[in-house]
Amino acid sequence: MENRRPIRIQKKEEIFRIKETAQPVDNSAAAGSTNSINTNKEEDSDETTASDALSTEEEDEVAAKKQKTPHLLKYATFYWSAIMCIIIGYLFHCVNHKCETNIKTMAQANHILTEKINQLESLLHSKHREIDVADYLEGARIIHDLTTDSFVKKGWLNSVKGLGAEVAIDRVCTKYHCYSFKGSEGKLAIAFKNEKVIRKIGIIHPSYDNKSSAMKSFFVDCIVNNNHVCMGEFEYEVPGDAFQQFLIPPTKCTGIVFRIKSNHGKKEYTCIYKVYAFE
């Protein structure tokens, strides 16, 4: 019994000693842990500050890029608009120049046509105007036995026939209103109402038609007592005036014959719009 008690006391004292010796250790450990915690906090705060700084820089870079992008788009849009304006302006300039050229050409053609019309009107209203005796209204008629037949083109389904020689002595001179015959050689014979003294002949081939079908080289014969007297060889010039006149020796005759020898390149047919015979 005596041995157990001192042992307990000793153990109790040892326990107290251990506690006393353990307290400073605990304080230093606590201080160390506190310091380590503070250090960790400082490191964390430094890392947080660094990360905040990095994020701020990244945000600044992103913001700068966002600011640059609209400027680039503005510049690109401006340059593209400028280029398109230049191209469109050049196209308008070309169109305007072409229109002005066409207007000038039409104005010149209109001026020439007006002069021709004025000349014709003055001729028609003149008291001393020449009389065309090779005109249907003046009693002229076609001699069909001496005149080449009208042009005929036969096809599988239909055929095309040109107008008769009578249109060459009437006063209608519209487009396609002409006497035509096959090829480039033919005859057109006209009888007058009575005996006439012919001094000049004329031929018209309007400018609105293709002049390759116009007669080129031809002879003129006057019918005198049923005999054909050659008045000479003539040529209708292309390019040239639509209405061309040719002088012949004054001859008393009852009719006239045009002997066409060639045209201006049309192989299929030859067209005659109107012929004239003036006293």
Side-chain angles (χ1 to χ4, degrees):
M1 295 296 290
E2 293 178 357
N3 292 331
R4 290 181 181 176
R5 192 172 180 180
I7 292 170
R8 288 181 178 176
I9 294 170
Q10 188 177 358
K11 287 184 178 180
K12 190 175 182 180
E13 290 176 354
E14 289 177 357
I15 290 168
F16 283 115
R17 288 177 184 174
I18 290 167
K19 288 182 178 180
E20 289 177 357
T21 56
Q23 283 179 355
V25 174
D26 293 335
N27 291 330
S28 62
S33 62
T34 303
N35 292 329
S36 64
I37 291 168
N38 292 330
T39 303
N40 292 331
K41 287 181 179 180
E42 290 177 357
E43 290 177 356
D44 293 337
S45 63
D46 293 337
E47 291 178 357
T48 304
T49 304
S51 63
D52 292 339
L54 290 173
S55 62
T56 304
E57 291 178 357
E58 291 177 355
E59 289 177 356
D60 292 339
E61 290 179 358
V62 171
K65 288 181 180 179
K66 287 182 179 180
Q67 289 179 355
K68 289 180 180 179
T69 302
H71 290 297
L72 292 174
L73 290 174
K74 287 180 180 178
Y75 289 138
T77 304
F78 173 76
Y79 286 122
W80 176 253
S81 301
I83 292 170
M84 291 302 296
C85 288
I86 292 171
I87 293 172
I88 293 171
Y90 177 73
L91 292 175
F92 273 112
H93 172 72
C94 293
V95 172
N96 184 44
H97 182 265
K98 190 172 182 180
C99 290
E100 288 180 353
T101 304
N102 292 335
I103 289 170
K104 288 180 181 178
T105 304
M106 292 175 66
Q108 292 175 356
N110 185 41
H111 179 69
I112 294 171
L113 184 61
T114 303
E115 289 183 350
K116 297 292 183 183
I117 291 172
N118 292 334
Q119 290 176 3
L120 290 173
E121 287 181 351
S122 62
L123 179 63
L124 290 173
H125 292 88
S126 174
K127 293 181 180 180
H128 305 287
R129 68 178 182 272
E130 298 170 313
I131 298 174
D132 173 26
V133 296
D135 189 283
Y136 184 82
L137 297 178
E138 295 293 332
R141 295 293 182 268
I142 297 296
I143 306 174
H144 291 282
D145 294 339
L146 300 177
T147 300
T148 305
D149 293 335
S150 300
F151 171 74
V152 177
K153 183 178 181 180
K154 295 182 179 180
W156 289 98
L157 299 176
N158 56 2
S159 60
V160 178
K161 185 176 182 180
L163 299 177
E166 285 78 8
V167 299
I169 59 173
D170 65 20
R171 297 183 180 181
V172 179
C173 198
T174 57
K175 193 172 185 179
Y176 305 129
H177 188 82
C178 64
Y179 159 58
S180 59
F181 56 83
K182 185 177 180 180
S184 59
E185 293 189 30
K187 290 182 180 180
L188 174 62
I190 303 168
F192 304 139
K193 183 178 180 180
N194 46 40
E195 193 175 59
K196 306 289 183 182
V197 177
I198 305 302
R199 303 174 185 274
K200 184 169 57 176
I201 61 165
I203 296 171
I204 188 169
H205 195 99
S207 300
Y208 49 68
D209 192 23
N210 183 3
K211 287 196 172 184
S212 64
S213 64
M215 69 170 74
K216 184 178 180 181
S217 177
F218 63 96
F219 290 88
V220 174
D221 297 340
C222 283
I223 302 174
V224 181
N225 297 324
N226 294 325
N227 295 319
H228 294 190
V229 180
C230 182
M231 295 290 103
E233 183 179 7
F234 307 91
E235 182 174 331
Y236 183 86
E237 296 180 352
V238 174
D241 292 337
F243 178 57
Q244 298 180 22
Q245 300 181 74
F246 309 91
L247 295 174
I248 63 172
T251 305
K252 185 182 290 187
C253 57
T254 57
I256 194 169
V257 180
F258 292 85
R259 292 187 286 122
I260 297 93
K261 293 299 180 181
S262 65
N263 62 21
H264 284 274
K266 192 75 173 181
K267 295 181 179 180
E268 192 174 10
Y269 57 84
T270 300
C271 285
I272 301 175
Y273 275 84
K274 179 74 173 77
V275 295
Y276 300 82
F278 299 106
E279 286 187 301

